[in-house]
Amino acid sequence: MSPPVAPPGWSRWLVPPAALSVHLSIGQAYAWSVFKPSLESSLDLSGTQSALPFQLAIVMLGLSAAFGGTLVERNGPRWAMTVALICFSSGFLLSALGAATEQYWLIVFGYGFVGGIGLGIGYISPVSTLIKWFPDRPGMATGIAIMGFGGGALIASPWSAQMLESFGSDSSGIALAFLVHGLTYAVFMSLGVFLVRVPRPAKTAADGTPAPLEGVQVSANSAVRTPQFWLLWIVLCMNVTAGIGILEKAAPMITDFFADSSTPVSVSAAAGFVALLSAANMAGRIGWSSTSDLIGRKNIYRVYLGVGALMYALIAWVGDSSKPVFIIAALVILSFYGGGFATVPAYLKDLFGTYQVGAIHGRLLTAWSTAGVLGPLIVNWIADRQEEAGKSGASLYGLSLVIMIGLLVVGFVANELVKPVDARHHVPAQKEAADVHE
């Protein structure tokens, strides 16, 4: 499948909706916590076990993005979106079969492994194309698309909760909910497949071939040999670990924090909290990434990591005594979490250029794979151990919150160490132009 080139007069504003149709669909991953209580009760699972499909999905997201990034650059966004559609929808269908037969390993394989490949390829499918369409506002452009990934749970969370209420929260009800998800998302993602286009080369050399790209340009293979890449890897990993720990455990966490208060949180209110977090995640992706176009990438990450650590400290110290404080602090953390994802492609573009930014971005997302294991593992494992020790409520999460503060401080230091890429890593102009022509 060759990349579809936009005809003359094609509006670049048609590309963000194509990206959104994919990202809003795969963003369902952030609503996984809605399924956790039903899975735990119907299949007799622990909190750590019920998190496994989500964790594996995030691992596969990073790995498939890393290994598939070059293929996406070569074959174009339509090929990538098609692969994402097939894998993501198939993952739900396999999970439906697993739930119907009460074979939990099939849910892990379907949602986590197969669906996770769809997550990774779908996530990076529009990024490079958007940066090329919007070289003047890369932060805003990637923020619009990646906003959809953060906002997917805003739709999926209440929708999933309603389906579980209507179909039942037993294994057959979960299976039917998975089936509806798989079929619906297949239709919605197909809109992006048919709508996406890549821009025509704007400049040509005297012989008619594309002219070299302007500014610093670094290949994906060279980028991974630079300290800048690995410092950004640490920054992203720490920011994601801190945010994803709350997100994956959001519904049971807010219930536990206020279980012993005079106004405990109901199941429907907990699902509403997940939807609120999704809204903050989504708003942060477009709001903070657009702000980075004005104040710079390093400065915005100082906000994400520094203020984020303060918000975690607020939850640890006074969160269980005030619902507004807990909710507001969590919303700020999730807005920074989303903003970090949306800003990092533009950060990469600033450091390494647009030459192979999609492939570089794919490799960087291995940080997300690592964080996808670390965040839920830290929160769920510590909560399970604390519960076994006879503790309950907010005390289940105290140690986890302190760990998250430490991780954000590590990320803050790594961001401070990021400097411009040394000239020895730059791609020669002749090779760059030849690769663009190919």
Side-chain angles (χ1 to χ4, degrees):
M1 184 180 295
S2 59
V5 179
W10 182 268
S11 173
R12 65 180 182 172
W13 292 102
L14 293 174
V15 180
L20 277 172
S21 72
V22 173
H23 274 239
L24 280 170
S25 298
I26 63 177
Q28 182 281 333
Y30 283 140
W32 178 252
S33 65
V34 175
F35 286 103
K36 281 171 64 69
S38 298
L39 286 169
E40 289 167 15
S41 61
S42 63
L43 300 179
D44 192 26
L45 305 172
S46 68
T48 302
Q49 290 173 321
S50 67
L52 187 56
F54 175 82
Q55 288 176 290
L56 181 57
I58 299 302
V59 169
M60 294 310 301
L61 185 159
L63 293 178
S64 60
F67 289 106
T70 302
L71 291 174
V72 173
E73 288 283 296
R74 182 182 304 132
N75 297 326
R78 176 170 288 176
W79 173 88
M81 289 179 179
T82 301
V83 172
L85 184 159
I86 293 170
C87 292
F88 189 66
S89 296
S90 297
F92 268 113
L93 299 183
L94 288 169
S95 296
L97 180 61
T101 58
E102 298 188 359
Q103 298 293 315
Y104 187 58
W105 70 268
L106 193 52
I107 298 176
V108 175
F109 175 75
Y111 189 92
F113 185 82
V114 179
I117 294 173
L119 285 179
I121 300 298
Y123 189 86
I124 64 174
S125 61
V127 170
S128 177
T129 301
L130 283 166
I131 288 177
K132 291 171 183 174
W133 274 112
F134 294 88
D136 51 331
R137 287 178 282 181
M140 181 211 69
T142 55
I144 289 175
I146 295 176
M147 171 185 69
F149 193 89
L154 188 62
I155 300 169
S157 179
W159 183 38
S160 300
Q162 182 59 49
M163 278 194 285
L164 290 175
E165 184 177 335
S166 301
F167 302 152
S169 58
D170 58 357
S171 58
S172 61
I174 296 171
L176 189 53
F178 283 156
L179 177 63
V180 173
H181 275 76
L183 297 177
T184 303
Y185 285 135
V187 173
F188 195 59
M189 292 173 74
S190 67
L191 297 176
V193 172
F194 291 113
L195 191 59
V196 73
R197 300 286 188 280
V198 296
R200 302 174 66 85
K203 296 181 180 180
T204 58
D207 61 358
T209 62
L213 299 171
E214 297 179 356
V216 172
Q217 304 296 333
V218 181
S219 70
N221 287 337
S222 294
V224 298
R225 298 187 181 98
T226 66
Q228 288 82 357
F229 177 89
W230 293 105
L231 287 169
L232 278 187
W233 193 97
I234 294 170
V235 167
L236 184 62
C237 185
M238 297 301 100
N239 196 53
V240 173
T241 301
I244 209 168
I246 280 186
L247 198 58
E248 188 275 337
K249 191 79 169 175
M253 181 181 285
I254 192 171
T255 302
D256 290 336
F257 254 76
F258 301 100
D260 298 327
S261 69
S262 58
T263 55
V265 177
S266 66
V267 173
S268 60
F273 175 63
V274 175
L276 274 178
L277 291 181
S278 178
N281 190 350
M282 179 175 63
R285 290 171 187 246
I286 182 62
W288 294 121
S289 61
S290 297
T291 302
S292 77
D293 287 334
L294 302 175
I295 69 173
R297 319 304 170 196
K298 178 173 282 193
N299 285 333
I300 201 69
Y301 272 96
R302 286 168 173 154
V303 174
Y304 298 156
L305 299 161
V307 178
L310 294 177
M311 292 297 103
Y312 260 111
L314 198 60
I315 292 176
W317 291 331
V318 299
D320 61 339
S321 61
S322 171
K323 278 184 187 175
V325 169
F326 179 92
I327 293 172
I328 291 172
L331 291 176
V332 172
I333 290 170
L334 264 295
S335 77
F336 292 160
Y337 169 81
F341 277 121
T343 308
V344 82
Y347 209 161
L348 291 171
K349 180 256 182 188
D350 293 347
L351 289 170
F352 303 109
T354 59
Y355 173 53
Q356 290 187 339
V357 67
I360 298 171
H361 185 222
R363 286 161 170 77
L364 190 75
L365 290 181
T366 54
W368 194 355
S369 293
T370 304
V373 173
L374 286 179
L377 182 63
I378 291 169
V379 175
N380 284 289
W381 187 84
I382 290 176
D384 288 345
R385 299 292 81 74
Q386 297 287 65
E387 190 172 10
E388 290 173 1
K391 296 184 180 180
S392 62
S395 60
L396 296 175
Y397 305 98
L399 178 58
S400 300
L401 296 174
V402 173
I403 292 173
M404 297 305 178
I405 293 170
L407 293 177
L408 288 171
V409 171
V410 171
F412 188 93
V413 173
N415 182 56
E416 292 302 305
L417 296 175
V418 174
K419 307 295 181 185
V421 177
D422 191 278
R424 71 177 183 275
H425 297 291
H426 296 182
V427 176
Q430 296 86 347
K431 172 176 171 52
E432 177 192 303
D435 288 347
V436 171
H437 181 58
E438 290 175 3

